[in-house]
């Protein structure tokens, strides 16, 4: 435990030195909450890539880069007199304790079933949202900049938490078929875009009902498509050809072969 706390203390001291007006790093001194956002997003995706690669050294490295982003924001807040890194950690610890009475609460609370724990979790989160926002909207604290698929899933989950949801997946299939037909019927470009959006939203809803993370599912589909098409490129390269040298029937035949790999 001691070495972990020393590591955090060392990192925060490094950050303080980087932001020191006398002898600090010119680049770090120019940064603000807003200017760091692109780097934070980039580091988050790099953590995802490292985890998916299974390379533990890379995971440690990228988690460190992401942690540095948190330390950077904490240093900026400290300079403004708002909060420090320890405030972030303490607030998060208290929040987690509050959200996990089945771990930190009474004996009765620690003996809840999985379904009861899930219901309790949603109730606690809803109470937190109500306390944050006088209107108590279930959508109020959903980040506006979430990727669209994740945002759709979160909107649907929040609506479902207050009872606005189908009890099973069957009506979702019907809704998807309805949306497909509406895409076919649309003629103006703006209307086509709207209907395709509705179709995508319905597919995300199906993923939620099937307990599938739609972002992860689409990412796997992306990687599968990429791998299969690269197989086609490799086969054609061995013949000194490119995909653009082939017609669609030839590419389709190669695609079917790639699917068997």
């Amino acid at each position: 435990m001691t070495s972990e706390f020393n590591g955090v203390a060392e990192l925060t001291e490094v950050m303080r030195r980087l932001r020191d007006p006398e002898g600090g790093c010119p680049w770090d001194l120019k940064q603000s909450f807003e200017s760091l956002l692109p780097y934070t997003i980039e580091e988050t995706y790099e953590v995802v890539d490292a985890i998916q690669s299974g390379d533990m050294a890379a995971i440690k490295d990228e988690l460190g880069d992401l942690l540095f982003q948190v330390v950077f924001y904490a240093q900026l807040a400290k300079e403004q007199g708002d909060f420090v890194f320890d405030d972030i950690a303490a607030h998060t610890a208290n929040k987690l304790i509050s959200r996990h009475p089945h771990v930190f609460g009474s004996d009765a609370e620690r003996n809840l079933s999985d379904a009861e724990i899930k219901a309790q979790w949603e109730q606690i989160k809803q109470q937190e949202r109500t306390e944050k926002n006088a209107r108590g909207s279930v959508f109020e604290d959903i980040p506006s900049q979430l990727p669209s698929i994740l945002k759709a899933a979160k909107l649907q989950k929040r609506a479902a938490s207050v009872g606005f949801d189908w009890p099973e997946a069957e009506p979702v299939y019907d809704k998807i078929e309805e949306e497909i037909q509406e895409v076919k019927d649309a003629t103006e470009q703006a209307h086509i875009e709207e209907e395709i959006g509705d179709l995508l939203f319905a597919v995300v809803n199906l993923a939620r009902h099937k307990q599938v993370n739609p972002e992860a599912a689409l990412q796997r589909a992306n990687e599968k498509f990429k791998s299969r098409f690269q197989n086609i490129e490799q086969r054609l390269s061995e013949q000194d050809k490119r995909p653009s040298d082939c017609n669609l029937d030839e590419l389709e035949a190669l695609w079917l072969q790639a699917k068997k790999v």
Side-chain angles (χ1 to χ4, degrees), residues 224 227-228 231-232 235 252-261:
K224 183 168 62 176
S227 175
R228 288 174 177 174
N231 179 276
I232 292 174
R235 288 171 181 265
E252 181 66 23
L254 288 168
W255 177 263
L256 292 175
Q257 293 176 32
K259 288 179 67 175
K260 297 177 182 178
V261 175

Side-chain angles (χ1 to χ4, degrees), residues 118 153 156 165-174 176 202-214 217 220:
K118 182 178 180 181
Q156 293 167 4
D165 192 21
W166 282 302
E168 65 279 322
E170 197 59 37
V172 187
Y173 290 115
D174 296 336
I176 289 173
V203 171
V204 171
N205 199 17
L206 177 62
R208 184 177 60 83
H209 272 271
K210 291 296 185 179
Q211 299 182 343
V212 168
N213 182 315
R220 289 192 183 93

